[in-house]
Amino acid sequence: MKSTSGSAGAQKKKMQGYVGFSNYPNQVHRRSVKRGFNFTLMVVGESGIGKSTLINTLFDSKIFSDREEMPPSAEPTKGVDVTSMSADIQENGVKLRLTVVDTPGFGDSINNEDAWQPILENIESRFDAYLAQENRVNRSKISDNRIDAVIYFIKPTGHCLRAIDIEFMKRLHTKVNLIPIVAKADTLTAREMEQFKAKILADINYHGIQIFKPVSDEFDDPETVSDNREILSKIPFAVIGSEKHVECPDGSLVRGRRYPWGIIEVENEKHNDFIKLRQMLLRTHMEELKDSTDMVLYENYRTQKLLSMGHVQDNNVFREFNPLVQLEEERRAHEAKMQKMEAEMTAVFQQKVQEKESKLKQSEEELYARHKEMKTVLEKQRAELEEKKKRAEATARPITPMEQHATKGKKKNIFSGF
């Protein structure tokens, strides 16, 4: 072996002969095929928007069975329900355990406030269940039912995202790989669909919503980079679904829908983006979706969960132990703790003083207001008494001697007749 480069870390070496570890990916492939794969997909959208049809079309299998039509007299289901169904499917010897989580009732009510809450709780409960299994003593059998991707069905209004669309994606975009699609794309013209997609992306960027996008790196070949670029140009995907085959004018059978003006084909890239959605979801980025769920979304949730439970990361576990350094760090930590306690006590003392001053000021203002009110009442009473005194003095004049003599004469005349 020859040394081709040197650095402070690991050195790159050039092999002079065949050793065999380059066959490791083949070993992983054989083991993976033997074990099979799990993939959990959630679909969210209003009833009748085509969730079941699209899933059955994606996997070319009857994942969702035909639902019985409810009689007109039957009461509609209130609230959002979260149900899941699993199916074992196989393709070219590769086994896939597919779990599809449906959300009937979402967006069907007049008041859809908090319609996203049961869905968010279901996603977090799956994270909690996986975290509990990780913390067990025996972890040989861990069941992983975390949501790998969420396909969110956007109603083809042609305008912009509705309030329920924005609120749902804002609440869940940090917990799942969000894949927005425009359902029933055959209800809009090509120009209308192009404008609608631009408005959706503008709303997503304005509200800071994170959606899943394929990423290329330096290890990808030009073909992969080109495919990723094409997939990005189609987001959000405008798709149609159909479980039926129709006959074309040339006699061939295609999966699609027949209209009076012609046939729209599901697997025709000129008609819709179904091919690109299936390519990203199943053929090229399924493992990337699972890795993103495991290493990014779940890790972020796990970190926040453990911190909220009082767990603190100890960074001293995996480094060399130095008693003097540890004592110095403990001293600094103690001083910082004491300073923090002193600052908290000072803040509490100042708060108490401010509260006391505020109460005293309030009492002083109340006393002053009461004094002013009593003073006003007394002044008013004094003015009334002064007014009464003046009236009394004006009406009660002193009696003159002449008036007294005349009064006595009248009295004598009264008794003279007897």
Side-chain angles (χ1 to χ4, degrees):
M1 292 188 294
K2 295 181 180 179
S3 176
T4 58
S5 64
S7 62
Q11 297 182 355
K12 294 183 179 179
K13 302 291 184 177
K14 183 177 180 180
M15 309 298 298
Q16 293 181 340
Y18 177 76
V19 176
F21 65 83
S22 61
N23 195 46
Y24 180 72
N26 296 330
Q27 302 174 34
V28 175
H29 172 74
R30 289 195 300 269
R31 186 180 63 178
S32 300
V33 170
K34 182 179 178 181
R35 292 181 176 179
F37 302 92
N38 295 325
F39 191 69
T40 305
L41 181 65
M42 175 180 279
V43 289
V44 182
E46 298 178 6
S47 298
I49 204 168
K51 302 188 296 292
S52 303
T53 303
L54 180 64
I55 294 300
N56 292 343
T57 308
L58 272 172
F59 295 95
D60 196 17
S61 179
K62 202 73 171 176
I63 306 298
F64 284 97
S65 58
D66 296 332
R67 295 181 180 177
E68 297 180 359
E69 294 186 2
M70 299 292 292
S73 59
E75 293 185 2
T77 307
K78 295 182 179 180
V80 181
D81 191 17
V82 181
T83 60
S84 62
M85 58 204 73
S86 300
D88 294 322
I89 54 181
Q90 189 167 345
E91 181 183 42
N92 295 331
V94 179
K95 294 177 292 184
L96 176 66
R97 180 61 179 251
L98 174 66
T99 301
V100 181
V101 182
D102 193 11
T103 55
F106 177 83
D108 296 341
S109 303
I110 297 176
N111 181 11
N112 290 305
E113 186 179 2
D114 296 339
W116 45 266
Q117 188 64 36
I119 301 173
L120 178 62
E121 291 175 355
N122 183 269
I123 293 171
E124 291 183 344
S125 68
R126 294 168 182 266
F127 280 160
D128 292 336
Y130 192 83
L131 178 60
Q133 292 180 92
E134 280 189 329
N135 294 331
R136 292 187 312 192
V137 175
N138 185 1
R139 303 188 302 173
S140 59
K141 294 182 180 180
I142 294 182
S143 176
D144 185 5
N145 64 348
R146 295 171 294 178
I147 303 296
D148 296 312
V150 170
I151 299 180
Y152 184 70
F153 289 70
I154 299 173
K155 198 172 183 178
T157 61
H159 303 293
C160 57
L161 289 176
R162 300 170 301 166
I164 187 175
D165 301 328
I166 296 172
E167 190 64 24
F168 174 84
M169 290 193 282
K170 284 175 64 176
R171 297 283 183 174
L172 270 75
H173 71 114
T174 59
K175 303 291 176 65
V176 290
N177 295 307
L178 200 58
I179 304 176
I181 70 169
V182 181
K184 297 185 177 181
D186 49 349
T187 59
L188 299 176
T189 64
R191 181 173 178 78
E192 290 173 341
M193 182 58 69
E194 183 179 353
Q195 295 174 349
F196 188 38
K197 282 186 173 185
K199 293 176 182 177
I200 291 174
L201 289 177
D203 286 342
I204 287 175
N205 293 331
Y206 176 79
H207 292 283
I209 299 171
Q210 303 172 15
I211 59 176
F212 179 79
K213 296 179 180 179
V215 180
S216 302
D217 52 37
E218 66 274 11
F219 299 104
D220 292 332
D221 53 59
E223 182 180 358
T224 302
V225 174
S226 177
D227 290 342
N228 288 344
R229 195 175 292 118
E230 289 183 10
I231 291 174
L232 282 171
S233 67
K234 299 296 183 180
I235 296 176
F237 303 99
V239 300
I240 62 171
S242 177
E243 301 178 57
K244 298 180 180 179
H245 290 80
V246 294
E247 186 176 355
C248 293
D250 59 0
S252 60
L253 291 176
V254 296
R255 190 189 296 271
R257 297 179 182 272
R258 182 185 298 276
Y259 293 98
W261 45 262
I263 296 173
I264 184 167
E265 301 176 21
V266 173
E267 298 178 303
N268 189 332
E269 294 192 45
K270 295 180 181 179
H271 295 179
N272 70 106
D273 304 327
F274 175 82
I275 293 293
K276 293 301 181 186
L277 172 63
R278 185 173 63 184
Q279 178 181 347
M280 185 191 78
L281 191 64
L282 304 178
R283 297 182 179 178
T284 59
H285 292 83
M286 179 183 280
E287 184 62 23
E288 189 174 338
L289 288 166
K290 293 178 69 65
D291 286 345
S292 175
T293 299
D294 183 45
M295 296 187 291
V296 180
L297 302 172
Y298 170 70
E299 281 300 318
N300 292 338
Y301 177 83
R302 177 180 177 274
T303 300
Q304 295 299 324
K305 185 76 173 181
L306 293 179
L307 289 175
S308 66
M309 295 170 61
H311 295 273
V312 181
Q313 179 73 28
D314 186 3
N315 297 321
N316 298 322
V317 175
F318 300 106
R319 69 178 185 182
E320 295 182 359
F321 176 75
N322 188 331
L324 296 178
V325 174
Q326 184 181 10
L327 288 174
E328 182 66 19
E329 290 180 352
E330 290 178 354
R331 184 185 65 81
R332 293 177 180 176
H334 179 71
E335 290 179 354
K337 183 178 179 181
M338 295 301 295
Q339 291 177 358
K340 182 180 178 181
M341 291 176 61
E342 183 179 357
E344 291 177 350
M345 292 175 65
T346 303
V348 171
F349 176 75
Q350 292 177 351
Q351 182 181 0
K352 294 291 185 182
V353 171
Q354 291 177 357
E355 291 177 355
K356 193 68 175 178
E357 290 179 349
S358 177
K359 289 182 179 179
L360 290 174
K361 187 177 180 180
Q362 184 179 359
S363 300
E364 183 180 356
E365 291 176 352
E366 291 177 355
L367 288 173
Y368 177 75
R370 191 180 302 170
H371 172 71
K372 186 176 180 181
E373 182 181 357
M374 293 177 64
K375 185 177 180 182
T376 303
V377 172
L378 290 173
E379 290 291 338
K380 185 177 179 181
Q381 291 177 353
R382 180 180 177 182
E384 291 177 353
L385 290 173
E386 290 288 341
E387 184 66 24
K388 289 180 179 179
K389 181 180 178 181
K390 288 180 181 179
R391 287 199 301 267
E393 289 177 350
T395 55
R397 292 185 299 106
I399 301 175
T400 61
M402 293 180 67
E403 290 176 343
Q404 291 179 355
H405 180 73
T407 304
K408 291 179 179 180
K410 290 180 179 180
K411 291 181 179 180
K412 290 179 178 180
N413 292 333
I414 292 172
F415 294 100
S416 62
F418 292 95

